[in-house]
Amino acid sequence: MPVPSEYGRASAKFYDYLVDARDTANLWSTHVTYTMTQSVFQVFRRRLSTEEGIAFANALPICLRALFITDWNINEEKKKFESREAMTKEVRMLRANHNFSTDTAIQDVAQALRRHIDELHFDKLLSELPKGAADFWKP
């Protein structure tokens, strides 16, 4: 069986996402966008069980899937969904001196991400996750 195209084009698709998210957030660099995306993912996954997180990751393109699970401390205390403002403050805590996430970071990542996934599958999955998950990913 040949290598699935999802793997063969993974880097190009990841860069396509980074450029899209960069432009959506009006940022100047894909490096800054990477940190913003990583941080948004970490804030979201702190509110999921390991099982829920793996289900969520499986709805993502391969490189974003890897970014979502990278450095995950599965023993970290699970948090509750809060206001977008409170969670955006949490987004900015990752590498705080080098984190230039926007005031709309969660929304920016959500908008860009939705252009790179199967939205029907994604929304169905979100409806099965804890209360607040679907709101988190509203563009």
Side-chain angles (χ1 to χ4, degrees), residues 2-30:
V3 174
S5 64
E6 177 183 31
Y7 289 90
R9 294 202 9 86
S11 293
K13 288 182 178 242
F14 182 56
Y15 192 72
D16 289 346
Y17 161 81
L18 288 174
V19 168
D20 187 3
R22 177 199 67 197
D23 294 347
T24 299
N26 292 315
L27 293 170
W28 59 93
S29 160
T30 54

Side-chain angles (χ1 to χ4, degrees), residues 26-42:
N26 292 315
L27 293 170
W28 59 93
S29 160
T30 54
H31 298 280
V32 172
T33 307
Y34 174 90
T35 294
M36 181 176 71
T37 300
Q38 181 183 29
S39 190
V40 167
F41 280 175
Q42 287 180 8

Side-chain angles (χ1 to χ4, degrees), residues 22-80:
R22 177 199 67 197
D23 294 347
T24 299
N26 292 315
L27 293 170
W28 59 93
S29 160
T30 54
H31 298 280
V32 172
T33 307
Y34 174 90
T35 294
M36 181 176 71
T37 300
Q38 181 183 29
S39 190
V40 167
F41 280 175
Q42 287 180 8
V43 168
F44 183 69
R45 79 180 187 203
R46 285 185 190 116
R47 286 146 177 87
L48 304 178
S49 69
T50 305
E51 256 181 17
E52 293 163 341
I54 290 170
F56 178 82
N58 283 333
L60 302 174
I62 195 75
C63 288
L64 288 170
R65 186 180 312 159
L67 181 60
F68 183 81
I69 64 167
T70 297
D71 298 324
W72 190 354
N73 176 359
I74 60 170
N75 296 312
E76 183 176 32
E77 186 177 336
K78 188 175 169 186
K79 293 184 159 196
K80 294 190 182 291

Side-chain angles (χ1 to χ4, degrees), residues 45-125:
R45 79 180 187 203
R46 285 185 190 116
R47 286 146 177 87
L48 304 178
S49 69
T50 305
E51 256 181 17
E52 293 163 341
I54 290 170
F56 178 82
N58 283 333
L60 302 174
I62 195 75
C63 288
L64 288 170
R65 186 180 312 159
L67 181 60
F68 183 81
I69 64 167
T70 297
D71 298 324
W72 190 354
N73 176 359
I74 60 170
N75 296 312
E76 183 176 32
E77 186 177 336
K78 188 175 169 186
K79 293 184 159 196
K80 294 190 182 291
F81 285 96
E82 304 169 83
S83 70
R84 191 163 270 190
E85 179 183 28
M87 291 187 290
T88 299
K89 286 181 184 177
E90 189 180 336
V91 164
R92 291 191 171 120
M93 292 171 62
L94 176 68
R95 294 189 292 279
N97 293 333
H98 303 283
N99 187 329
F100 300 99
S101 295
T102 62
D103 291 339
T104 55
I106 295 170
Q107 180 180 345
D108 296 338
V109 170
Q111 286 177 358
L113 181 64
R114 285 179 170 279
R115 290 189 286 268
H116 297 268
I117 57 167
D118 176 342
E119 279 195 275
L120 287 169
H121 173 70
F122 189 68
D123 286 331
K124 182 181 181 315
L125 170 69

